[in-house]
Amino acid sequence: MRRSRIIGTGSHLPRKVLTNHDLEGMVDTSDEWITTRTGIKERRIVDGEKPSDLATVAALKAIDSSGLEPGNLDLIIVATVTPDMTFPSTACFVQERIGAGKAFAFDVSAACSGFIYALDVADRYIRSGGAEHVLVVGVDVFSRILDWSDRTTCILFGDGAGAVVMKGEEGERGILSTHLHSDGRYWKMLYAPLNGCGQEGVKMQGNETFKVAVRMMEQVSMEALRSNGLRVEDIDLFIPHQANARIIKTTAERLSLPLDRVYMNIERYGNTSAASIPIAMDEAFREGRIRDGHILLLAAFGGGFTWASSVIRW
């Protein structure tokens, strides 16, 4: 069976660190309040960098990890809701900067679920024969769309980029399935108005979003396992979207999945939206937490509402 296998990973975070103690001097909050409710201690914030700058570095690291050259790429997909410009796509900027002249490129917008959405699109291109080598990047720079006077949202997000290179090949390794969902009826619980419309910043109904996120993360994870005839015990590593430590831990508890098989880096980076899963995947791989033959479960939830999952045999 022809599958899409991840053959390279990469990530990039801005140098500037914004700690909870820094935020104490900006809004009415405290390190203890933020840590207790979110699990976040610090996040990275751009200092003049654009989303394509972060995406380009992550992409080059993933390409280097894969052993390919940029010229080998057939397709570039960038998942983001904070593009450099309205158009052209951030993917086109990445294509030009890495020198992938043969590839066609476009963006995908699905908020925090964006990386898995893009992974699904790439997988379908590969399995249909429309592309052989695909670069998928998740990148978001939420610091430029936040209301920094709103303590309920500005504490949550950070900036970053993560990337993977995928290759089509025969065998049992690769993406086993992806599962995508959305429900636009919930949009008012989590959204960001266009700049200049008179209502700036990310808007979120925190408690309501938390409840729906946990329920949908559990459901879409179980959907992925059932689709592949797997049990929770078969999962070597669960890599969830890093939105909130309480969401991650509650989801793991509902799945009866021990925390030692759950990857978390939210303490250091906060919620990096579409970048969170590929950043975590890259770190887990480089730390030796992911090895050949391992079964990975990915799950995400984001504005839209959107939610998604994927099962990968490494």
Side-chain angles (χ1 to χ4, degrees):
M1 180 180 292
R2 181 175 173 82
R3 297 194 186 278
S4 308
R5 187 164 73 88
I6 294 174
I7 60 172
T9 67
S11 61
H12 182 64
L13 285 303
R15 291 183 180 180
K16 183 178 178 181
V17 177
L18 185 68
T19 68
N20 291 349
H21 292 296
D22 294 328
L23 283 168
E24 290 176 349
M26 298 168 59
V27 291
D28 181 16
T29 191
S30 69
D31 172 60
E32 193 235 345
W33 192 90
I34 297 171
T35 303
T36 301
R37 287 160 179 78
T38 71
I40 301 168
K41 297 294 289 186
E42 61 185 40
R43 68 287 292 145
R44 302 295 183 90
I45 302 295
V46 295
D47 185 14
E49 304 102 312
K50 298 185 293 294
S52 62
D53 296 328
L54 305 183
T56 296
V57 178
L60 289 171
K61 289 179 179 178
I63 294 167
D64 181 67
S65 171
S66 74
L68 299 178
E69 297 294 332
N72 298 129
L73 297 174
D74 303 301
L75 169 60
I76 299 169
I77 306 174
V78 172
T80 186
V81 292
T82 58
D84 282 30
M85 298 182 180
T86 302
F87 66 86
S89 69
T90 301
C92 282
F93 288 124
V94 173
Q95 179 218 26
E96 186 272 332
R97 292 182 187 182
I98 68 175
K102 186 179 74 168
F104 62 104
F106 56 86
D107 289 356
V108 168
S109 174
C112 300
S113 304
F115 177 75
I116 300 181
Y117 268 60
L119 205 68
D120 177 83
V121 175
D123 178 49
R124 292 175 189 272
Y125 267 101
I126 289 172
R127 288 191 290 108
S128 69
E132 182 66 21
H133 301 109
V134 181
L135 169 68
V136 177
V137 183
V139 59
D140 271 309
V141 176
F142 261 61
S143 62
R144 74 180 192 187
I145 64 170
L146 292 171
D147 176 355
W148 286 98
S149 67
D150 180 4
R151 70 171 189 166
T152 64
T153 57
C154 74
I155 64 170
L156 299 174
F157 296 94
D159 305 332
V164 300
V165 174
M166 301 164 62
K167 174 185 178 182
E169 62 178 45
E170 303 295 321
E172 297 300 316
R173 299 169 67 186
I175 296 175
L176 304 187
S177 68
T178 50
H179 309 269
L180 310 182
H181 299 276
S182 62
D183 193 334
R185 293 175 298 176
Y186 292 103
W187 75 268
K188 288 187 178 180
M189 288 190 186
L190 178 57
Y191 67 98
L194 285 172
N195 288 336
C197 74
Q199 188 184 31
E200 308 299 334
V202 174
K203 311 300 179 185
M204 182 174 65
Q205 298 176 27
N207 291 334
E208 293 81 359
T209 299
F210 177 93
K211 294 172 185 176
V212 179
V214 169
R215 184 170 73 251
M216 297 311 185
M217 290 269 282
E218 177 192 9
Q219 289 180 3
V220 80
S221 296
M222 292 307 301
E223 178 185 5
L225 295 179
R226 286 193 299 267
S227 176
N228 293 282
L230 296 171
R231 303 168 301 168
V232 171
E233 295 77 21
D234 298 318
I235 300 303
D236 293 292
L237 191 63
F238 178 41
I239 305 179
H241 167 52
Q242 308 288 306
N244 181 305
R246 291 168 56 222
I247 291 177
I248 295 171
K249 291 176 180 178
T250 303
T251 301
E253 182 179 341
R254 290 192 176 196
L255 293 172
S256 299
L257 190 63
L259 285 179
D260 62 2
R261 284 190 279 146
V262 179
Y263 195 86
M264 292 178 60
N265 61 11
I266 189 170
E267 176 180 305
R268 290 174 284 131
Y269 305 136
N271 180 348
T272 55
S273 188
S276 76
I277 287 178
I279 290 172
M281 185 183 297
D282 180 50
E283 290 193 338
F285 177 70
R286 295 175 190 276
E287 292 169 7
R289 297 279 302 274
I290 301 175
R291 298 189 294 276
D292 289 352
H294 273 186
I295 301 292
L296 310 184
L297 172 63
L298 316 181
F301 179 89
F305 282 151
T306 61
W307 59 101
S309 63
S310 180
V311 175
I312 301 171
R313 180 179 289 114
W314 201 259

